[in-house]
Amino acid sequence: MFDVNEIRKDFPILAEEAHAGVPLVYLDSAASSQKPTAVIDAMNNYYRRYNANVHRGIHRLSEDATNAYEDARRRVSEFIHSPSPEQVILVRNATEGMNLLAYTWGIANLRPGDEVLTTEMEHHANIVPWQMICEMTGATLRYVSFTEDGLLDMDALPDLLTEKTKLFAFTAASNVFGTINPVKELVAKAHAVGALTAVDAAQSVPHSIVDVQDLNCDFLVFSSHKMCGPTGMGVLYGKRELLEAMPPFMGGGDMIRRVSMEKSTWNDLPYKFEAGTPSIAEGIGLGAAVDYLNQVGMDNIHHHEQLITRYALEAMSEVPGLKIMGPKQAELRGGLVSFTVDGLHPHDIAQLLDGDGIAVRAGHHCAMPLHKKLGIGASARASFYLHTTTEEVDLLVASLHRARKVFRL
Amino acid sequence: MSMQMYREQILDLYENPLNHGALDPHDFSYEEDNPLCGDVIKIDVRMGEDGRVTEVAWSGDGCAISQASASLVTEEIKGLTLEEIKKLDKDFILELLGIPLSMARIKCATLSLKVLKAGAYGIPDKSEMRKHL
Ligand SMILES: Cc1ncc(COP(=O)(O)O)c(C=O)c1O
């Protein structure tokens, strides 16, 4: 049974006060999620009991550390239904995963005349690396637009996705609109013209079941810190033959098989892409986060977020002048609601909500092209996770009413 | 901190800004945004024969703090020379506003001063710069 009040006890930070006497209402999980005790303990346990470097020492601590780290990789691999843990490259975050792809696959494969297709609803992490690599290789970056409802403009796709397209890099779920994109369909359409696909799953892996084999995507990236895990850890998944054909990213220890003065030969997957000492505690922490999410159940989490989102869409629409961005239908959205309020700048909204202990995000959410297209500089965003309650949404709405009063609206 | 930030004067200036608009022609003009939040401020300035600011106008989009600060700063620099403008600092703004600000909001508060000083230094930009400056 999913009981949100029981879940809340797993997150020590939720018992903290935002300010003296004001309880914390954390509605910013899309920026970074809170961590359950199990994750904090797993990392502490590593530092207290078996801290050592991995893949190196012939001693007990190093063997324990290596086992724990590799075990975490296995659990992450199972979590996304990857055919093997060797296809799970551990990096620092989703951004690094996308950059790794751009700098290795991109530089090796893109030529003048080639096209990379992305969308206008991307996070900068899935725009800027491709701009940089297109600049370097002479390839052209193109964008799929979005509709008034914040859905991808599927009608525009046939003109944009052509035999010139070498890669279609798109988000599985928008961090601004909340839109859940039809990943499997987009992957199939890309493959039909011979393009590869890179999925930014930073906002989908934390909130729903993601099966890379079912999606049939070629690459997929996500960040640990948005899925109850620590910062400093992220994943690039790739199809084996593609990863094997790619040159390495950074050079150094761990990524080589043999080094001579003249030349080095590369290590096998996944180590070819993991130069240097990795974020060991963070990898172990991500493993614990995956265990935690599995134990709660991704279906339960998804269902709970749907309920909260539906509730929030309705409750928030009662605030005068409040405009909700993105799809109207809750079932097309993930657990977040971005909005503007007439007469109130998003910064001022966030500031006044903070006074009531409510944490939301305000700004362009690293999606400047999206905001520019909408003709606004910024928006506010409330985002939900497994521990969010309807009472918290009520507090948000009450605080929004108060904010309007402060601004004499 | 949140409630103290939005005291009467700030809200009044947000509703009824001072020196809002544009000046054409002008002696210098500069526009800059705060990439963190997308706030934009543009300031146009006219100088008198004696090298002092005679007229100033600003326009832009942003939160109450950045907008109120633009009103106050533009009001305050009338009669100053370019050299005097170049000497203004963060504390000058914070004193004008007279409210407690968090680190993130200090950026909002100082945007207009940043724009003004960039203009005063004649930092080359999209905006044209009259030769005699
Ligand atoms: C859709 C999306 N992609 C990518 C990222 C980048 O994540 P990170 O900063 O952890 O690399 C984010 C985080 O905000 C996101 O929401």
Side-chain angles (χ1 to χ4, degrees):
Chain A
M1 251 310 280
F2 182 91
D3 178 352
V4 69
N5 291 316
E6 287 303 313
I7 296 278
R8 291 181 70 81
K9 293 181 193 156
D10 298 335
F11 293 83
I13 210 166
L14 298 179
E16 291 285 314
E17 291 181 333
H19 315 289
V22 184
L24 171 69
V25 176
Y26 190 74
L27 301 180
D28 199 18
S29 292
S32 199
S33 68
Q34 296 302 344
K35 322 303 175 204
T37 306
V39 169
I40 300 168
D41 285 353
M43 294 174 70
N44 279 341
N45 199 34
Y46 159 73
Y47 280 127
R48 284 172 178 279
R49 316 237 346 246
Y50 59 100
N51 172 63
N53 211 328
V54 290
H55 311 136
R56 285 166 173 75
I58 314 279
H59 56 74
R60 202 273 290 173
L61 295 188
S62 178
E63 280 174 12
D64 282 0
T66 304
N67 285 339
Y69 188 71
E70 290 305 327
D71 202 40
R73 189 197 307 275
R74 253 189 305 280
R75 269 130 61 209
V76 173
S77 172
E78 281 164 18
F79 190 64
I80 59 168
H81 303 264
S82 158
S84 95
E86 287 135 41
Q87 290 163 259
V88 171
I89 317 296
L90 297 177
V91 292
R92 263 190 319 134
N93 46 42
T95 303
E96 187 174 298
M98 215 39 110
N99 276 277
L100 192 163
L101 188 60
Y103 278 88
T104 59
W105 179 87
I107 290 180
N109 291 284
L110 293 171
R111 298 286 171 267
D114 290 346
E115 292 179 1
V116 174
L117 183 61
T118 184
T119 86
E120 287 181 346
M121 65 165 80
E122 299 304 312
H123 187 280
H124 295 166
N126 199 20
I127 296 178
V128 184
W130 301 117
Q131 284 176 337
M132 293 163 74
I133 294 306
C134 284
E135 176 93 0
M136 254 182 242
T137 59
T140 305
L141 182 60
R142 305 188 73 186
Y143 296 85
V144 185
S145 58
F146 52 78
T147 66
E148 222 165 89
D149 263 3
L151 299 173
L152 272 190
D153 185 359
M154 299 299 271
D155 295 339
L157 216 50
D159 283 341
L160 291 164
L161 196 55
T162 67
E163 70 283 357
K164 284 188 188 155
T165 315
K166 292 291 170 289
L167 180 79
F168 186 15
F170 58 91
T171 192
S174 156
N175 64 321
V176 182
F177 291 137
T179 317
I180 295 174
N181 285 322
V183 177
K184 195 171 170 174
E185 184 186 340
L186 294 172
V187 168
K189 288 203 153 109
H191 287 168
V193 298
L196 295 179
T197 49
V199 180
D200 175 355
Q203 296 291 352
S204 73
V205 166
H207 304 286
S208 56
I209 294 168
V210 169
D211 180 333
V212 291
Q213 294 187 70
D214 178 54
L215 297 175
N216 197 22
C217 55
D218 301 288
F219 302 101
L220 180 134
V221 302
F222 56 97
S223 283
S224 150
H225 70 96
K226 293 182 199 283
M227 53 188 291
C228 295
T231 54
M233 180 48 52
V235 172
L236 164 67
Y237 157 84
K239 284 190 176 159
R240 180 184 286 276
E241 63 279 14
L242 294 169
L243 291 175
E244 279 174 349
M246 275 154 56
F249 183 29
M250 291 186 277
D254 256 1
M255 54 74 69
I256 35 74
R257 185 185 309 240
R258 195 166 294 114
V259 180
S260 69
M261 300 281 215
E262 296 77 30
K263 195 173 162 43
S264 305
T265 47
W266 313 135
N267 204 340
D268 295 331
L269 294 177
Y271 308 112
K272 180 170 90 176
F273 296 107
E274 296 182 356
T277 299
S279 304
I280 303 167
E282 289 74 10
I284 291 167
L286 174 58
V290 163
D291 289 346
Y292 177 76
L293 293 172
N294 278 330
Q295 178 206 319
V296 177
M298 291 310 292
D299 274 334
N300 289 332
I301 293 172
H302 184 69
H303 181 67
H304 177 71
E305 285 179 22
Q306 282 279 305
L307 288 180
I308 297 288
T309 305
R310 212 174 291 263
Y311 185 85
L313 287 174
E314 211 169 298
M316 290 168 73
S317 62
E318 279 163 28
V319 178
L322 188 145
K323 293 194 187 77
I324 289 171
M325 299 160 68
K328 305 275 181 297
Q329 310 96 301
E331 62 274 14
L332 295 179
R333 324 178 47 119
L336 62 87
V337 180
S338 295
F339 61 97
T340 57
V341 180
D342 293 341
L344 266 177
H345 189 276
H347 263 188
D348 297 318
I349 296 176
Q351 188 77 56
L352 288 162
L353 292 180
D354 176 64
D356 289 336
I358 302 169
V360 298
R361 176 93 193 257
H364 51 60
H365 321 300
C366 297
M368 284 173 99
L370 180 159
H371 282 87
K372 182 150 193 194
K373 179 152 189 215
L374 295 175
I376 55 178
S379 60
R381 179 184 72 192
S383 55
F384 318 126
Y385 211 180
L386 65 164
H387 48 67
T388 311
T389 64
T390 53
E391 289 79 16
E392 288 182 306
V393 175
D394 292 339
L395 290 171
L396 167 69
V397 171
S399 188
L400 287 171
H401 280 295
R402 266 198 299 285
R404 289 188 75 252
K405 285 226 178 67
V406 170
F407 270 69
R408 308 160 181 169
L409 295 168
Chain B
M1 193 192 272
S2 298
M3 287 310 287
Q4 288 153 282
M5 221 180 264
Y6 297 101
R7 61 191 182 82
E8 206 78 359
Q9 185 205 14
I10 304 292
L11 295 170
D12 287 344
L13 288 172
Y14 188 51
E15 269 171 42
N16 300 302
L18 307 171
N19 311 311
H20 196 264
L23 290 177
D24 203 16
H26 44 250
D27 290 289
F28 70 86
S29 172
Y30 203 81
E31 180 179 323
E32 176 71 306
D33 57 4
N34 176 350
L36 217 66
C37 56
D39 287 4
V40 194
I41 286 191
K42 178 171 182 283
I43 300 184
D44 301 336
V45 178
R46 272 186 200 152
M47 311 292 290
E49 293 294 314
D50 59 354
R52 292 180 181 278
V53 173
T54 50
E55 279 174 277
V56 50
W58 70 274
S59 58
D61 180 34
C63 63
I65 305 299
S66 76
Q67 306 280 287
S69 121
S71 281
L72 292 169
V73 168
T74 50
E75 194 63 9
E76 211 61 23
I77 60 150
K78 289 177 188 165
L80 296 192
T81 63
L82 288 182
E83 290 314 308
E84 285 166 336
I85 289 175
K86 289 177 192 170
K87 289 205 189 82
L88 301 176
D89 61 8
K90 187 175 86 185
D91 293 335
F92 158 77
I93 301 274
L94 297 184
E95 254 166 61
L96 275 182
L97 285 166
I99 51 173
L101 287 174
S102 59
M103 282 302 288
R105 301 313 294 281
I106 286 178
K107 290 215 171 65
C108 308
T110 52
L111 178 59
S112 50
L113 181 62
K114 204 171 116 197
V115 170
L116 192 62
K117 285 174 76 171
Y121 276 106
I123 291 173
D125 189 72
K126 47 223 162 193
S127 324
E128 79 260 36
M129 229 47 92
R130 284 259 290 264
K131 281 199 192 71
H132 67 270
L133 271 177

